[in-house]
Amino acid sequence: MIFFKRSYQKEIMDDFSITDERIQLALRELKVINRFLGGQASTGRGVKLLMKGFAVDKPISILDIGSGDSENFGEVLRARIRLFCLDINEGICRYTKKQDRSKSVICGNALHLPFSAPVFDVVHASLFMHHLAEEEIVALLKNGLEISRYGFIINDLQRSVFAWAGIKILTQMFSRSAMVRNDGPLSVRRGFTRADLTRLLSRAGCRCYTIEYRWAFRWLVIIKKENTE
């Protein structure tokens, strides 16, 4: 059955040469999807749980990798953080800068992060890991922890027939974006089971983490950096 193993079929959004209004339409629709299907709530919970117990007297610095326009960080959360959005697509970077000047936008490759020390409090990835091969995910987990002071938050999709059927129906009924109609169901096939996540975290040497199932068909993974005071 196709859901037993992850798909590695490329999504339309993986074509970084697409920088026109197709990207903008997809981002607008993804903003709605994340708001109503648990993206914003999961990210907010992840930040709250990771930072619990730490006395931080300044805005929390967060690097959002593979960010899109970082709309998982709603207005209430953004009031308490300093957000850095990293994306490789130049069209997405231009769109994000235009939409919200308060976000610091970095146009770069998440697999070759231009940092080598803990320069951010938190590293965050929402609906990004499923775009990567397993070796890339393991490398990114290691690198993300190296440049974070407190830990790494992952917000991504559960791979299941029910999740696939649900997003297939929703996108076919309501989406005007060919990119979203194609990539939404494919993203689920590229998503993860709990066993997938546990294996990847183990390969990356992560020991202090939690995996939590969230609405709707999402995983929230919180990796706490060890030996953090």
Side-chain angles (χ1 to χ4, degrees), residues 6-157:
R6 289 187 67 212
S7 171
Y8 289 96
Q9 180 182 340
K10 290 293 186 181
E11 300 179 29
I12 297 175
M13 190 169 281
D14 292 320
D15 181 353
F16 306 133
S17 69
I18 301 176
T19 60
D20 53 28
E21 64 275 0
R22 289 172 290 175
I23 281 286
Q24 297 176 23
L25 176 58
L27 289 175
R28 288 195 294 270
E29 292 194 358
L30 287 172
K31 178 178 180 179
V32 176
I33 290 171
N34 275 312
R35 180 179 299 170
F36 292 103
L37 295 184
Q40 287 190 9
S42 294
T43 288
R45 177 171 173 80
V47 173
K48 179 180 179 180
L49 291 178
L50 177 60
M51 299 305 297
K52 185 177 181 180
F54 294 117
V56 181
D57 57 1
K58 60 182 180 179
I60 301 166
S61 61
I62 298 180
L63 177 66
D64 188 20
I65 56 179
S67 61
D69 59 359
S70 289
E71 282 301 332
N72 265 9
F73 295 90
E75 292 183 8
V76 174
L77 183 56
R78 283 213 305 273
R80 299 187 287 110
I81 67 175
R82 186 180 179 196
L83 183 60
F84 297 82
C85 313
L86 185 145
D87 204 286
I88 196 171
N89 187 300
E90 293 181 359
I92 290 177
C93 292
R94 289 194 299 269
Y95 176 81
T96 303
K97 287 179 182 178
K98 184 177 179 181
Q99 292 297 306
D100 189 342
R101 296 288 181 179
S102 71
K103 298 173 182 175
S104 299
V105 179
I106 306 167
C107 199
N109 190 337
L111 298 178
H112 300 283
L113 294 170
F115 314 102
S116 58
V119 291
F120 303 98
D121 293 325
V122 177
V123 172
H124 171 269
S126 176
L127 302 186
F128 175 67
M129 291 292 191
H130 71 259
H131 288 273
L132 306 178
E134 290 207 354
E135 294 297 332
E136 293 172 328
I137 293 172
V138 171
L140 185 61
L141 288 171
K142 292 178 179 178
N143 293 341
L145 284 172
E146 285 178 0
I147 65 171
S148 68
R149 297 185 182 93
Y150 299 104
F152 200 143
I153 298 168
I154 301 166
N155 178 348
D156 221 306
L157 300 173

